[in-house]
Amino acid sequence: MNNILLSAAIGLDPKQVEFFIKSFKKYSDDLIYFLIGKKDYDLKEKLKLYNCSFYEVDDHKHDIQLNRYKYFFEILRKEENYKNVLISDCRDLYFQSNPFDYPYKGTINFFLEDIKINKCPVNSKWLRKTFGKKIYTDLSQKTVCCSGTVLGTQKAMINYLELMNQMIKKYPYKKSLKYLLTLRRDKEGRGCDQGYCNFIAHKNYLKNCFFYSNNNGPIATVLYLKNIDFNEKLQLLNREGKAYCVVHQYDKRWSEFSEKVNKIKKNLELI
């Protein structure tokens, strides 16, 4: 039984996506399935080159942040032969080993960042503007859970995606007045899916759910990561001295990652 990696790449530069693909395929033969735009012609050809599957949608690149969940749900509901599913971002993420080889403890697994919700203004805003002040207060002392990397069994992931879609519909992001008056997208709400993810995860909506620390788990979300330490193989290490399977948000700490990432890209024959 194979695994599947799901990601949205609408409007992205093919070079950004290529790093994601090549780093994954170095370690795994599992399927990568992308959501792309119908006008992403160059990206489509690049995905064909790497034997990736894709589904073309009409959504604007700013809307796919939320709409991806309904597409992922439809994709997984139609198929019944995947062992594990990883939903991840792709623009700012690369692999250091096969993420599906790690012995995960939960049927669905979430990966924490190194900051409490109430210490992060952006995550605080996402929760307040979706669920309101009461839920924000209830969850404010919880550690931020990253919605850009979630891994679980196919059944558990379908349950998670169904809940995400329900929450997105029931608790829409409350736009700022200036965006309401001008009928524009509120750009500050683009990542509010993380609010829904944190609500579902921390309110225990899912059975057999496990949280991995950013310091010693298999996935690094590096924006608030306290220790940046590499080995001689250019691999980012956790506090136990083990290489992370996945490195996410490396562009947020570019001054510390640029040299290593460029060497990795050169080794992958990307530059």
Side-chain angles (χ1 to χ4, degrees), residues 79-92:
E79 303 287 345
E80 297 181 359
N81 58 345
Y82 298 116
K83 181 180 179 182
N84 285 306
V85 180
L86 171 59
I87 290 177
S88 81
D89 296 339
C90 62
R91 181 192 59 80
D92 58 351

Side-chain angles (χ1 to χ4, degrees), residues 94 96 114 214-215 220-231 234-239 244 247-258 260-261:
Y94 67 91
Q96 300 190 138
D114 278 325
N214 206 20
N215 294 311
T221 308
V222 306
L223 175 58
Y224 295 110
L225 188 63
K226 294 180 174 61
N227 296 306
I228 303 294
D229 186 25
F230 297 91
N231 64 14
L234 308 175
Q235 294 174 315
L236 182 66
L237 304 177
N238 64 22
R239 282 189 178 174
Y244 289 100
V247 179
H248 184 208
Q249 296 183 349
Y250 64 89
D251 61 327
K252 300 293 194 299
R253 305 279 288 272
W254 187 240
S255 62
E256 296 159 279
F257 277 82
S258 59
K260 303 295 190 300
V261 167

Side-chain angles (χ1 to χ4, degrees), residues 16 45 52 59 64 73 93 165 170-171 188 201-202 206 215 228 232 234 261:
Q16 294 175 309
E45 293 307 310
C52 297
D59 303 61
I64 199 62
F73 177 76
L93 185 150
N165 289 319
K170 187 175 181 179
Y171 301 99
E188 295 177 356
H202 288 306
L206 298 165
N215 294 311
I228 303 294
E232 68 282 356
L234 308 175
V261 167

Side-chain angles (χ1 to χ4, degrees), residues 42-80:
D42 292 341
L43 179 56
K44 187 189 303 185
E45 293 307 310
K46 186 70 70 175
L47 298 186
K48 289 178 181 178
L49 181 65
Y50 287 108
N51 295 315
C52 297
S53 295
F54 56 85
Y55 180 57
E56 297 178 69
V57 299
D58 283 323
D59 303 61
H60 189 277
K61 64 181 180 180
H62 293 163
D63 296 330
I64 199 62
Q65 188 86 8
L66 295 180
N67 291 346
R68 58 180 170 168
Y69 295 99
K70 67 181 181 182
Y71 294 120
F72 291 157
F73 177 76
E74 291 169 4
I75 290 167
L76 292 180
R77 192 172 55 172
K78 292 176 182 176
E79 303 287 345
E80 297 181 359

